[in-house]
Amino acid sequence: MPSVVLITGAATGIGNLAARSLAIAGHTVYATVRDINGRNASHRESLIEFAREHGLDLRVVELDVQSQESADAAVRTVLDECGRLDTVVHNAGHLFLGYVEAFTVEEVQHLFDVNTFGIQRVNRAALPHMRERRSGYLIYVGSTTSVVVPPFLGPYVASKFAGDALAQVTAYEVGQFGIETTIVMPGPFTKGTEHYANASHTTDTKTAQAYAELDPLVARSEEAAEGLFRPGVDADPRAVAEEIARLLALPPGTRPFRSVVDFTDAGVEEINEAMWRVQSDFVTRMGYGDLLTTKITAAPS
């Protein structure tokens, strides 16, 4: 059954690709973009033109994940136009590259505001409707960095760790209202996104200078990620968009809690399996084993 889907951070990269893939799959897609009449106006027009050319139900709305008012307004638009919201794809994110000490607390707070608190704002906007319907699907675009922890991405890795934890604990609770969760964990992509190109660096150049002897290592961060791919491997972020579309096509109750899309053979799947065994045992021994299973009910029409 086609879903009504809201995707955050759909101007470029994985969010943009996912919006197109889901629309092609027949879903009604709300691709949300920040500053759609300003710096992202061209991205908005590109999505609208794509929808027009292919006869798709792909709509673009304003959503700044750093604003609860903006998140609330975007969800209201979906509900006013469609009467329901079935799926939220949490994709908005930003990358920081550099030395942890050199980033000010305010800079790290800003990154958490986008990568972590933005999730909470959108959930607070969408979950009341989903809880009332006792149906819904939350897809979080996480990261394998939460497992492999690469160097020189400290604030980013910390924010993705936090977002992953928030998704996990939220899943215990919303699952009792029929709302499913999947955390998609992409590995690194050096092409097809603007992640590295738009990465932020610290304004505290004095502290950064103290680490100058490590500058050559930071400078080759993107190259180092690219070197993880086996020869001939095409690490295309479209694979993440296609996986999101595949997950959404699965019947409720059969969707995995985690899905890894990684071209570096990092072994993240094995860690996830071990972590789930330990987590499940721990939560069950606490007497909360029922929270590990989503209570799927027939979704209202």
Side-chain angles (χ1 to χ4, degrees):
M1 177 181 175
S3 291
V4 177
V5 185
L6 181 147
I7 303 177
T8 67
T12 62
I14 289 171
N16 188 283
L17 294 169
R20 295 168 188 250
S21 293
L22 292 175
I24 289 171
H27 303 290
T28 295
V29 177
Y30 283 81
T32 72
V33 176
R34 182 177 58 168
D35 194 16
I36 60 174
N37 296 312
R39 67 175 187 172
N40 285 318
S42 62
H43 298 304
R44 178 200 64 194
E45 289 304 316
S46 177
L47 285 166
I48 292 172
E49 181 60 27
F50 179 81
R52 185 183 301 118
E53 287 180 0
H54 296 85
L56 304 175
D57 195 355
L58 172 56
R59 317 178 193 188
V60 183
V61 296
E62 175 88 28
L63 198 167
D64 180 354
V65 297
Q66 293 182 265
S67 163
Q68 186 65 58
E69 182 180 358
S70 180
D72 291 342
V75 170
R76 277 198 306 271
T77 295
V78 177
L79 296 179
D80 288 345
E81 294 182 1
C82 294
R84 72 180 206 272
L85 172 59
D86 303 307
T87 302
V88 172
V89 180
H90 290 286
N91 169 77
H94 188 57
L95 182 69
F96 271 14
L97 178 62
Y99 311 112
V100 175
E101 182 192 347
F103 287 102
T104 67
V105 170
E106 291 74 21
E107 288 170 335
V108 176
Q109 284 176 329
H110 171 76
L111 190 64
F112 269 72
D113 203 36
V114 175
N115 292 359
T116 309
F117 305 150
I119 291 172
Q120 181 71 355
R121 292 186 184 101
V122 175
N123 274 348
R124 282 179 57 82
L127 284 174
H129 169 71
M130 290 182 171
R131 279 190 288 101
E132 183 179 0
R133 298 182 75 234
R134 304 190 80 85
S135 174
Y137 190 22
L138 302 176
I139 300 177
Y140 299 84
V141 180
S143 174
T144 58
T145 61
S146 299
V147 173
V148 295
V149 192
F152 309 122
L153 301 174
Y156 173 79
V157 173
S159 68
K160 298 303 279 188
F161 257 115
D164 192 294
L166 194 65
Q168 290 187 64
V169 181
T170 301
Y172 292 145
E173 301 157 5
V174 301
Q176 306 312 294
F177 295 87
I179 302 165
E180 292 184 279
T181 293
T182 297
I183 302 171
V184 178
M185 302 176 72
F189 291 96
T190 56
K191 298 175 182 177
T193 75
E194 297 182 6
H195 228 31
Y196 278 98
N198 289 340
S200 292
H201 303 269
T202 182
T203 58
D204 181 4
T205 54
K206 181 179 179 181
T207 301
Q209 183 60 33
Y211 288 86
E213 63 191 85
L214 301 182
D215 283 355
L217 300 181
V218 178
R220 63 179 293 271
S221 181
E222 185 173 358
E223 177 187 345
E226 205 164 68
L228 293 168
F229 306 136
R230 295 192 310 275
V233 169
D234 181 19
D236 193 320
R238 284 183 175 82
V240 184
E242 291 168 359
E243 175 62 3
I244 291 171
R246 185 191 74 85
L247 291 166
L248 195 50
L250 294 174
T254 68
R255 293 153 174 163
F257 186 69
R258 290 188 184 272
S259 176
V260 178
V261 184
D262 179 35
F263 293 91
T264 70
D265 298 324
V268 171
E269 293 92 341
E270 291 85 348
I271 298 299
N272 287 343
E273 290 174 8
M275 184 172 66
W276 180 249
R277 286 196 300 272
V278 172
Q279 183 179 358
S280 299
D281 177 68
F282 185 79
V283 172
T284 299
R285 288 192 293 114
M286 292 181 73
Y288 295 141
D290 288 347
L291 299 181
L292 298 169
T293 304
T294 303
K295 293 182 178 178
I296 300 296
T297 58
S301 58

